[in-house]
Amino acid sequence: MSTLDTIPKTKKEALVEILLRLADDRIVHGHRLSEWAGHGPELEEDLALANVALDMIGHASSLYSYAAELEGKEDEDHYAYFRDDIEFKNIAMLELPRGDFAFTIARQFLFSAFSYFLYEKLIETTDDEQFKGMLSKHLKEIKYHLRHSREWVLRLGDGTEESHKRMQEAFNEIWMYTGELFDLDDADQVAIEHKVYVDVSTFHDQWKNLVHETIEEGTLTVPDSEQYMFSGARKGRHTEHLGRLLAEMQFLRRSYPDATWK
Amino acid sequence: MAVKQPISKATIWSWLEEVIDPEIPVLNVVEMGIVRDVVMDEDPIVIKITPTYSGCPAMNAIEMEIHKKMREKGVHSFKVVTDFKESWTTDWMTEEAKQKLKEYGIAPPEKTEEEGDFLTGLKNSQKIVPCPHCDSLETKLQSEFGSTACKSQYYCHGCEQPFEHFKCI
Ligand SMILES: [Zn+2]
């Protein structure tokens, strides 16, 4: 199933593809957030980022488990630890280095806002009970993430000269990676037909409104959306950063495949 | 099945009450609302559990503890299944559980309610959480994220002590 450019046909195949896309986004994002452990700007924030990272990895883990169940694989570890970068289906925005705190916040805000609208629509749409249950559970936590990152955008944007400058630079830098959030490809289309995904363009305006309002409320400027937008990561065309991230994340498990916690 | 006498469902539930939540050692997994169902129609017995927070590292430990408990009681034909169909809410915690939490020093969750505009977070920062130590209402939210995914941090102006609040979800 992980072969490149294989278009799913059945509902099951389509669901597996969507589960893996969602899970890959979340494990990569969670890994980047976890890099902040012990480096947060203050203790509360250190804990907050570690918590959000854990949630992300938790979401990924349950999505992978369901994919494993559907594909008859032994467990979810195969997906996380034994695939190479070209097989990962996450969008590029999430694999970029963590940058400074403002960059991490910009990314978390844009992605949480997207996840929030996506999950709301998906829960409404899908008739797969297990999938729906997972999403409903995750949505509760996504609301916390969204509120948390949104508050930081406002605080840093409307803060000191330095924090304002950094927050603006963060949005400028990440903007060309936001296009990919709303890309729709053949696999998505099949999934939409089978009601295991939704047409993301239906909530593009809601996302845009929330993002623009927040950026402007933070006295910042919304970057130009007509600029060149990166795309292709879901099909394996990643930036150079994913390989390094995976090398770190997968090293232990690949070097000692039978290692267990004592 | 290794057990000769048929075991009743109630017995299994009572055994499960002996399994403690590793992160909140005063609560068991039944009063936490983690165990959702015990199905005995067929062999093996199925114990359905639901994760509290998805990032909760205690879930694996809880599952292992349930296995250990069942084997200790001589039951070997059973499986523990994580059920995602319903999503766990703090409303499933029993009143006794909430009281025990308070005595343990953690402000218990209130009943969940429809959030207004969750984004502005007004409801949350205006919500009054009484201090579990001195019952003072002069408390302040410090951070929505605490030492574990399920807790937020508060500060009490009454007794000048920090405390944790079990988030409502
Ligand atoms: Zn007090």
Side-chain angles (χ1 to χ4, degrees):
Chain A
M1 244 331 276
S2 309
T3 337
L4 293 175
D5 289 336
T6 316
I7 301 164
K9 288 176 195 70
T10 63
K11 179 171 187 172
K12 188 171 108 179
E13 285 170 0
L15 180 53
V16 168
E17 178 71 17
I18 294 300
L19 289 166
L20 293 180
R21 289 180 178 200
L22 292 173
D24 287 348
D25 279 350
R26 281 148 190 84
I27 199 157
V28 168
H29 188 211
H31 188 84
R32 282 295 182 221
L33 286 168
S34 75
E35 293 173 358
W36 279 98
H39 301 278
E42 56 187 35
L43 179 64
E44 281 79 12
E45 204 38 42
D46 208 286
L47 287 172
L49 291 174
N51 269 305
V52 181
L54 263 178
D55 284 347
M56 283 293 112
I57 294 164
H59 295 186
S61 161
S62 53
L63 295 161
Y64 283 142
S65 301
Y66 192 22
E69 189 186 316
L70 292 170
E71 286 204 299
K73 289 204 161 44
E74 197 184 330
D75 64 16
E76 72 264 28
D77 287 8
H78 159 79
Y79 301 118
Y81 297 117
F82 297 101
R83 286 181 305 153
D84 292 328
D85 53 356
I86 195 167
E87 295 166 283
F88 268 74
K89 301 165 189 291
N90 62 285
I91 53 169
M93 177 201 276
L94 303 167
E95 71 204 30
L96 300 174
R98 71 173 188 266
D100 63 4
F101 182 64
F103 187 82
T104 288
I105 288 298
R107 166 161 60 195
Q108 201 206 311
F109 170 63
L110 296 168
F111 183 63
S112 301
F114 176 80
S115 303
Y116 169 67
F117 292 117
L118 173 66
Y119 276 37
E120 280 219 314
K121 286 265 169 353
L122 251 178
I123 290 165
E124 240 172 65
T125 307
T126 184
D127 54 4
D128 185 288
E129 290 301 317
Q130 186 165 342
F131 189 36
K132 194 197 285 250
M134 272 177 198
L135 298 172
S136 312
K137 171 158 209 57
H138 299 173
L139 180 61
K140 291 183 185 179
E141 294 160 2
I142 290 168
K143 288 182 181 177
Y144 270 93
H145 307 162
L146 177 54
R147 184 164 65 206
H148 169 253
S149 52
R150 181 177 173 276
E151 277 168 7
W152 270 110
V153 171
L154 300 178
R155 200 167 143 192
L156 294 175
D158 198 9
T160 65
E161 204 180 309
E162 174 76 8
S163 71
H164 176 91
K165 181 173 147 275
R166 287 197 185 209
M167 200 64 241
Q168 185 65 57
E169 282 169 2
F171 279 118
N172 294 347
E173 204 182 314
I174 205 167
W175 213 252
M176 66 177 272
Y177 297 95
T178 56
E180 228 179 3
L181 287 168
F182 290 94
D183 279 352
L184 273 178
D185 63 15
D186 299 346
D188 292 320
Q189 297 295 358
V190 178
I192 292 168
E193 280 162 35
H194 288 293
K195 295 189 172 199
V196 289
Y197 202 58
V198 289
D199 179 351
V200 287
S201 67
T202 56
F203 60 84
H204 196 175
D205 283 345
Q206 283 170 286
W207 178 84
K208 220 160 78 182
N209 288 344
L210 173 62
V211 167
H212 287 204
E213 274 168 30
T214 304
I215 291 180
E216 280 157 11
E217 196 183 329
T219 70
L220 299 155
T221 310
V222 179
D224 176 19
S225 293
E226 301 301 308
Q227 65 177 291
Y228 164 77
M229 289 286 172
F230 185 97
S231 78
R234 290 227 190 276
K235 300 261 189 217
R237 290 189 292 277
H238 289 281
T239 67
E240 74 214 65
H241 307 294
L242 181 65
R244 282 182 224 141
L245 180 150
L246 293 180
E248 189 183 290
M249 188 176 96
Q250 298 177 330
F251 160 77
L252 185 79
R253 192 59 206 274
R254 288 195 182 199
S255 309
Y256 305 95
D258 301 318
T260 54
W261 296 103
K262 287 278 175 198
Chain B
M1 291 246 307
V3 188
K4 292 150 203 97
Q5 298 266 313
I7 324 157
S8 75
K9 209 183 251 199
T11 311
I12 304 225
W13 278 102
S14 72
W15 290 342
L16 292 169
E17 281 173 10
E18 296 171 22
V19 179
I20 302 304
D21 183 328
E23 276 180 358
I24 310 165
V26 289
L27 296 183
N28 68 55
V29 296
V30 174
E31 50 193 0
M32 278 291 288
I34 290 171
V35 180
R36 300 310 302 156
D37 204 1
V38 176
V39 184
M40 302 184 68
D41 307 340
E42 281 169 54
D43 188 31
I45 298 167
V46 177
I47 299 169
K48 286 191 185 166
I49 60 170
T50 183
T52 51
Y53 287 79
S54 13
C56 181
M59 285 313 296
N60 280 336
I62 288 172
E63 202 178 320
M64 268 156 53
E65 289 299 315
I66 293 176
H67 275 269
K68 226 169 86 188
K69 179 60 69 183
M70 293 295 282
R71 282 197 300 266
E72 186 188 304
K73 300 289 183 186
V75 182
H76 296 277
S77 182
F78 68 94
K79 55 180 183 178
V80 182
V81 175
T82 307
D83 191 358
F84 285 98
K85 290 199 182 99
E86 298 177 283
S87 62
W88 185 83
T89 153
T90 41
D91 293 343
W92 292 350
M93 288 171 77
T94 62
E95 282 312 310
E96 297 91 291
K98 291 182 184 175
Q99 187 54 35
K100 283 192 211 167
L101 260 186
K102 180 174 185 288
E103 284 158 20
Y104 186 61
I106 298 172
E110 314 77 45
K111 198 151 169 42
T112 53
E113 42 190 321
E114 276 307 303
E115 316 144 72
D117 184 3
F118 78 89
L119 268 183
T120 55
L122 269 183
K123 264 224 160 95
N124 254 282
S125 44
Q126 284 175 348
K127 189 173 76 180
I128 294 168
V129 178
C131 171
H133 308 298
C134 72
D135 293 319
S136 167
L137 300 179
E138 302 289 309
T139 61
K140 192 174 179 300
L141 176 68
Q142 301 279 98
S143 170
E144 285 200 289
F145 298 89
S147 59
T148 64
C150 53
K151 288 173 242 155
S152 47
Q153 300 180 76
Y154 276 76
Y155 182 79
C156 172
H157 292 285
C159 61
E160 299 186 341
Q161 292 295 318
F163 68 89
E164 291 188 306
H165 169 52
F166 204 104
K167 285 187 216 165
C168 311
I169 61 164

